[in-house]
Amino acid sequence: MAGFSCSAADLHPLLGTAANAIAAAEYICNGFDTVSNKLVAATYAIDNTYLLFSAYLVFSMQLGFAMLCAGSVRAKNTMNIMLTNVLDAATGSLFYYLFGFALAFGSPSNGFVGRHFFGLEKYPSPSGDYSFFLYQWSFAIAAAGITSGSIAERTQFVAYLIYSSFLTGLVYPIVSHWFWSTDGWASPVREGHLLFGSGVIDFAGSGVVHMVGGIAGLWGALVEGPRMGRFDGDGKPVSLRGHSGTLVVLGTFLLWFGWYGFNPGSFLSILKTYEHTNYSSYYGQWSAIGRTAVTTTIAGSSAALTTLFGKRLLTGHWNVTDVCNGLLGGFAAITGGCSVVDPWAAIICGFIAAWVLIGCNKLAEMLRYDDPLEAAQLHGGCGAWGIIFTALFAKQDYVNEIYPGKPGRPHGLLMGGGARLLAAHLIQILVVIGWVSVTMGSVFWLLKVFGLLRISADAEMAGLDVTSHGGLAYAYHDENNDQSVKNSFPMANMDSSNA
């Protein structure tokens, strides 16, 4: 917010020719300057508080991931998957602090990677405050949390630590630099030439967060192979159902709640007016934030209902886990364009996202691909659809509000904006797939080569809770009997044999 200025030299002629006119003018201007400074400070305080609160909401999604993952795996692996979610946050904190934030937002830099603020040196700066770092960190660990679900129930614990460090410290930050930094080569807010005159409008990260996490998980699961018993001798899929629908629903609602920080929070500020709009003074960024929350809600709800009836037609069941995953698929899809589309378009987004997820799951079974959380299908597949959706339905008025200063910027193809935005978004899909495949695919392959990826067949049969974490998550029997169970399966913290 720019402050207003007051000049005593300009004001005192208006006060007449009295001897004290100059002193009165200086007094009045000093008062105005004080008020102006207070208003500027209040604006920064309000915007930073809004961003901090949004960061807290996004961080709460880690609890949602933990509950969703715990409910989606078998009981014998509950402690393992919950611990990996804790370590995603803790490991991601250090590596994003040391390297990730600088690679993502260390400006001034080039179009491919940031070069400043390693370890938050010389930060805060005019480009951001600590609240901005915390908010971006919460996004980085969300990407790592997505990946952990794809390789659940058969992965050595050390592999989680290695991939999470690499993803949050290098892979994800560079992608976010490309599309979100003011210097990024495909960013819609970069100064100078924009990709296809537009840049990529991935507002809250259908590609930057969800596709990155989903593609990383895809490669992890592909390199590792399916869980024992997931497919029979003829290659037909065998259901390995998670042990708690209750935890799945709890995790889904926590993620839904956190998404109101993920999408609306990506505005980064709230106290901002929009000029040259068709609305009165009541309309500003706070209105766009409200609209973003509405489109998020509608897309997820549309996807949930579509999944409910779609799966009923296909399988004959009303399946709560499928509905929860469909809901999250709708959220992942709307994330990229949540701020630039109308609520009616969000219905279309969620409807198609549900079928994208159903189709990806069917394809996964045909290819004997095993992802216990459907993370690659949900976040990768629905995230890719969300990128295309934005390029089709982005509304010109909303695009100009959120990305001002570029008259004639392309908008959605089906909204009369031409195909340039779609071209930019197709490039985003390709480069995200390519970058994550080369980096994370190599990491998982190296982990396998060095015997650090998959647990042994015996450990997989017994469950990671007993073999790696000291006991079962649930007390099914007396503590003395539990000790006998643990003694039956020696601890295998670093078992390098492959199943």
Side-chain angles (χ1 to χ4, degrees):
M1 174 181 173
F4 57 86
S5 60
C6 176
S7 170
D10 294 333
L11 182 60
H12 92 264
L14 302 177
L15 300 176
T17 58
N20 60 349
I22 294 179
E26 291 177 348
Y27 177 81
I28 294 172
C29 284
N30 287 338
F32 275 121
D33 290 342
T34 300
V35 171
S36 176
N37 292 335
K38 291 291 185 181
L39 288 174
V40 171
T43 299
Y44 282 124
I46 292 170
D47 286 341
N48 274 275
T49 300
Y50 173 75
L51 190 56
L52 281 171
F53 181 72
S54 297
Y56 305 152
L57 286 176
V58 177
F59 179 68
S60 73
M61 297 176 78
Q62 292 299 119
L63 177 57
F65 279 127
M67 296 298 100
L68 179 69
C69 290
S72 298
V73 302
R74 289 164 290 181
K76 62 183 180 179
N77 296 308
T78 305
M79 289 179 64
N80 172 263
I81 196 66
M82 288 197 292
L83 183 57
T84 62
N85 277 271
V86 174
L87 268 296
D88 280 337
T91 304
S93 298
L94 293 179
F95 279 84
Y96 197 72
Y97 161 76
L98 292 172
F99 310 109
F101 184 73
L103 297 176
F105 298 101
S107 60
S109 62
N110 56 50
F112 293 93
V113 64
R115 297 184 297 186
H116 302 280
F117 309 142
F118 289 96
L120 293 185
E121 184 181 6
K122 299 181 180 179
Y123 197 83
S125 73
S127 63
D129 209 330
Y130 287 118
S131 57
F132 182 69
F133 165 80
L134 194 73
Y135 188 70
Q136 297 302 333
W137 157 77
S138 67
F139 272 55
I141 61 174
I146 292 168
T147 305
S148 66
S150 296
I151 56 177
E153 297 202 285
R154 70 251 200 222
T155 305
Q156 292 189 50
F157 195 68
V158 66
Y160 284 108
L161 296 175
I162 293 172
Y163 97 76
S164 182
S165 303
F166 193 69
L167 184 62
T168 55
L170 177 68
V171 178
Y172 166 81
I174 289 181
V175 175
S176 59
H177 178 83
W178 292 347
F179 302 108
W180 285 347
S181 170
T182 54
D183 301 313
W185 63 268
S187 172
V189 296
R190 70 171 284 143
E191 298 179 1
H193 176 73
L194 296 174
L195 182 66
F196 289 103
S198 168
V200 171
I201 299 178
D202 189 7
F203 184 73
S206 287
V208 174
V209 179
H210 295 285
M211 275 197 69
V212 168
I215 299 301
L218 172 68
W219 280 104
L222 283 174
V223 173
E224 238 182 344
R227 291 168 292 173
M228 296 177 61
R230 179 65 178 91
F231 298 94
D232 64 18
D234 297 325
K236 295 180 180 179
V238 177
S239 177
L240 300 179
R241 297 185 61 180
H243 79 282
S244 176
T246 302
L247 290 178
V248 169
V249 173
L250 175 60
T252 300
F253 272 113
L254 286 169
L255 288 169
W256 188 340
F257 179 67
W259 234 291
Y260 292 124
F262 207 97
N263 287 2
S266 290
F267 281 87
L268 307 181
S269 63
I270 189 171
L271 197 56
K272 177 182 177 182
T273 58
Y274 290 149
E275 299 178 358
H276 310 298
T277 68
N278 297 324
Y279 304 97
S280 301
S281 58
Y282 65 83
Y283 184 84
Q285 189 138 294
W286 48 88
S287 304
I289 288 171
R291 182 183 67 243
T292 298
V294 170
T295 58
T296 301
T297 303
I298 291 177
S301 301
S302 172
L305 292 174
T306 303
T307 304
L308 175 71
F309 291 104
K311 293 293 286 188
R312 170 68 175 178
L313 291 173
L314 294 172
T315 66
H317 301 293
W318 308 100
N319 191 298
V320 65
T321 301
D322 289 337
V323 171
C324 288
N325 284 338
L327 175 83
L328 298 176
F331 287 152
I334 195 62
T335 295
C338 55
S339 64
V340 294
V341 300
D342 276 315
W344 63 263
I347 298 175
I348 300 173
C349 177
F351 175 81
I352 296 181
W355 289 109
V356 168
L357 180 57
I358 291 172
C360 287
N361 284 333
K362 187 64 176 178
L363 180 63
E365 289 184 350
M366 293 171 58
L367 298 177
R368 299 186 64 183
Y369 170 80
D370 181 24
D371 185 328
L373 271 293
E374 302 177 6
Q377 302 95 298
L378 193 161
H379 297 277
C382 294
W385 155 241
I387 294 169
I388 296 172
F389 162 78
T390 305
L392 298 177
F393 290 95
K395 186 175 180 179
Q396 184 177 20
D397 290 345
Y398 300 155
V399 171
N400 290 334
E401 288 171 2
I402 297 165
Y403 303 102
K406 300 284 186 180
R409 182 192 291 266
H411 51 284
L413 175 63
L414 300 183
M415 306 299 286
R420 289 184 294 169
L421 183 60
L422 178 60
H425 283 210
L426 291 176
I427 288 177
Q428 181 193 20
I429 292 173
L430 293 176
V431 298
V432 169
I433 292 174
W435 169 251
V436 179
S437 296
V438 169
T439 53
M440 295 306 298
S442 300
V443 167
F444 285 116
W445 179 77
L446 288 172
L447 287 172
K448 182 177 181 179
V449 168
F450 287 101
L452 298 175
L453 185 58
R454 186 155 186 160
I455 59 176
S456 68
D458 288 342
E460 187 171 348
M461 291 295 293
L464 283 160
D465 288 0
V466 169
T467 59
S468 296
H469 302 291
L472 299 170
Y474 303 101
Y476 293 111
H477 36 65
D478 185 79
E479 184 67 26
N480 292 329
N481 292 332
D482 183 56
Q483 186 63 41
S484 66
V485 172
K486 287 188 285 185
N487 291 338
S488 301
F489 301 101
M491 296 287 287
N493 292 330
M494 293 283 291
D495 196 321
S496 60
S497 59
N498 292 324

